Amino acid sequence: MPAQRIDPLKNFRFILEIDGITQAGFREVTIPDSAQDIVEYREGNEKTATPRKLPGQVKYGNITLKWGVTDSLELYKWRELVESGKIKDARRNIAIIILDDEGNPAARWEFRDAWPSKYDAPDLNATANEVAIETLEIVHEGMKRVK
């Protein structure tokens, strides 16, 4: 009997959940990377000249959101909390979910203690034929793929 075919998920069907924010849709969401520093260590009495490689601190990249400008100010007001020094109120948990062809959750990444570190308003050009795009960069303190 042949093995069941499993197709990879497509990157254009996704949803984003941010605690306390109901922003509808996004044009683009960047799922960040996870990397670990390498600590090289060697003692003077070792016979080999090659150092040991030990795991150091874990570092996470930032989440980037891009969306077309609407009358919603929720994400901008979230950024304003940070600008006004209310970081405790600004921390949120976030989930990025890829949907399968039927619209069911198929892959999920969760991020904890996230807050917006950068907001970028759209560039405007009277001769262009494009949608005005806002961008928000979000930092976080941990990510986990749970599905």
Side-chain angles (χ1 to χ4, degrees):
M1 178 181 241
Q4 182 181 4
R5 178 179 167 157
I6 300 175
D7 291 330
L9 298 169
K10 298 169 183 83
N11 72 349
F12 58 82
R13 296 198 68 191
F14 59 88
I15 57 175
L16 183 74
E17 296 173 353
I18 304 173
D19 288 346
I21 295 178
T22 59
Q23 177 84 20
F26 295 90
R27 171 182 160 166
E28 187 177 326
V29 174
T30 302
I31 300 174
D33 61 347
S34 168
Q36 194 150 6
D37 288 339
I38 299 167
V39 178
E40 292 189 354
Y41 177 78
R42 183 179 179 284
E43 293 180 353
N45 64 351
E46 292 181 3
K47 293 181 181 178
T48 177
T50 306
R52 293 183 227 169
K53 298 194 185 257
L54 306 171
Q57 292 184 345
V58 176
K59 295 182 179 179
Y60 301 105
N62 297 339
I63 301 165
T64 303
L65 309 178
K66 294 184 180 184
W67 70 96
V69 174
T70 65
D71 60 353
S72 174
L73 293 174
E74 281 189 284
L75 292 171
Y76 183 77
K77 288 182 185 239
W78 184 28
R79 172 67 187 139
E80 281 185 324
L81 284 174
V82 176
E83 290 175 354
S84 64
K86 299 176 183 171
I87 188 66
K88 185 176 179 181
D89 296 335
R91 291 188 185 274
R92 305 267 196 275
N93 292 322
I94 295 177
I96 299 171
I97 302 111
I98 298 178
L99 305 175
D100 64 16
D101 290 335
E102 287 80 39
N104 301 310
R108 180 183 180 98
W109 290 264
E110 293 179 347
F111 306 87
R112 64 178 169 77
D113 293 326
W115 53 273
S117 63
K118 180 181 179 182
Y119 169 79
D120 188 13
D123 295 328
L124 305 176
N125 182 342
T127 64
N129 188 23
E130 300 169 353
V131 172
I133 300 294
E134 290 178 282
T135 304
L136 193 67
E137 193 168 314
I138 301 171
V139 298
H140 59 93
E141 295 182 5
M143 69 182 272
K144 181 191 295 189
R145 179 162 178 195
V146 295
K147 183 173 183 178

